[in-house]
Amino acid sequence: MGSLKLVLFDIDGTLIDTGGAGARSWTWACEHAFDRRRVDIGKYSSAGMTDPVVARETFAEAIGREPTGEELARLMAAYLSVLPDYVAASEGYRVLPGVQELLLRLHDLGVLLGLTTGALEAGAHSKLGRARLNHYFLVGGYGSDSENRVELTTIAVKRGERLLGTSLDPRQVAVVGDTPLDISAARGAGVVSVGVASGKYDLDELRAANPDHALAALTEPFPGLED
């Protein structure tokens, strides 16, 4: 890995655990926007999916048909309307081990930090706001930019290059995530992938996705940084 210039992080399972706040927000949204009670979002989504895909699949399973564009927007707006409250009230919310220390170290080294997440942009900042982490991330690619993880990762990289005012060697860009989808998105964008087993997938499952680097947690030495 070359000298790091840009590091992009996934959110859920990588930086934080909301303690189920997102799932409870989707359940509320389905009930209040479409009168479908007790929808279990876990039945219709998998870790690493983008919010628009989660919304579409949840709607299709709960209602029995594909949503129109207007219905999809209505469901996501309802979700975003309550997400900050559920995040604030979540007893299980926590910043994952090593995150604060790694972000501060990267920041102090002058590495540009960003997000690459399937979350809607407003939802991403709602989740990070409780931990006061938003100020670290100056660029990002979000589920509201694209439903495709490779595309939104590429968008985040381009935004980083625009802010830095220069093109980056792919070896200078790392994507950090806790799912095989994060790893495949980094590969598709042509940048370095760093899998971290802090979410639903263990280290062996992440290694099976062939990341460039695999960590048990962000407390471990980060690739590309001098000790």
Side-chain angles (χ1 to χ4, degrees):
M1 184 187 294
S3 176
L4 284 173
K5 299 296 184 183
L6 172 63
V7 180
L8 303 168
F9 289 86
D10 176 52
I11 296 177
D12 293 293
T14 300
L15 295 173
I16 61 166
D17 180 344
T18 67
R24 289 190 289 275
S25 299
W26 283 117
T27 298
W28 185 97
C30 287
E31 179 175 348
H32 286 78
F34 296 101
D35 198 29
R36 292 297 190 273
R37 298 177 181 274
R38 294 183 293 276
V39 173
D40 180 5
I41 190 67
K43 293 170 61 177
Y44 312 129
S45 66
S46 62
M49 291 173 62
T50 62
D51 279 354
V53 173
V54 171
R56 181 175 290 106
E57 294 200 3
T58 300
F59 183 98
E61 292 291 336
I63 307 297
R65 61 174 174 80
E66 288 291 312
T68 65
E70 290 181 354
E71 288 169 332
L72 189 65
R74 188 168 142 208
L75 179 58
M76 291 190 291
Y79 162 77
L80 290 174
S81 74
V82 295
L83 179 62
D85 295 326
Y86 276 110
V87 168
S90 177
E91 295 182 359
Y93 184 100
R94 64 192 178 102
V95 178
L96 294 174
V99 167
Q100 295 275 16
E101 295 82 0
L102 177 59
L103 294 180
L104 182 58
R105 186 178 181 200
L106 289 168
H107 172 76
D108 288 347
L109 289 171
V111 178
L112 179 63
L113 302 180
L115 300 169
T116 176
T117 171
L120 301 168
E121 183 171 2
H125 296 304
S126 292
K127 290 178 179 181
L128 294 173
R130 174 170 167 177
R132 299 183 180 274
L133 295 178
N134 276 314
H135 67 282
Y136 283 112
F137 304 106
L138 302 187
V139 296
Y142 306 91
S144 39
D145 291 316
S146 174
E147 295 185 8
N148 183 287
R149 292 297 298 243
V150 175
E151 288 183 2
L152 69 87
T153 300
T154 301
I155 288 169
V157 173
K158 290 185 180 300
R159 287 173 175 162
E161 291 178 325
R162 191 177 306 124
L163 184 60
L164 292 171
T166 186
S167 296
L168 296 174
D169 185 308
R171 294 170 297 179
Q172 296 177 312
V173 182
V175 168
V176 185
D178 67 297
T179 76
L181 288 177
D182 297 311
I183 294 167
S184 63
R187 184 182 305 114
V191 300
V192 177
S193 58
V194 181
V196 56
S198 50
K200 295 182 178 180
Y201 295 88
D202 64 28
L203 200 53
D204 288 338
E205 290 172 316
L206 290 181
R207 283 175 174 155
N210 296 314
D212 295 299
H213 305 274
L215 307 176
L218 292 181
T219 52
E220 294 187 357
F222 193 79
L225 296 186
E226 298 294 334
D227 291 333

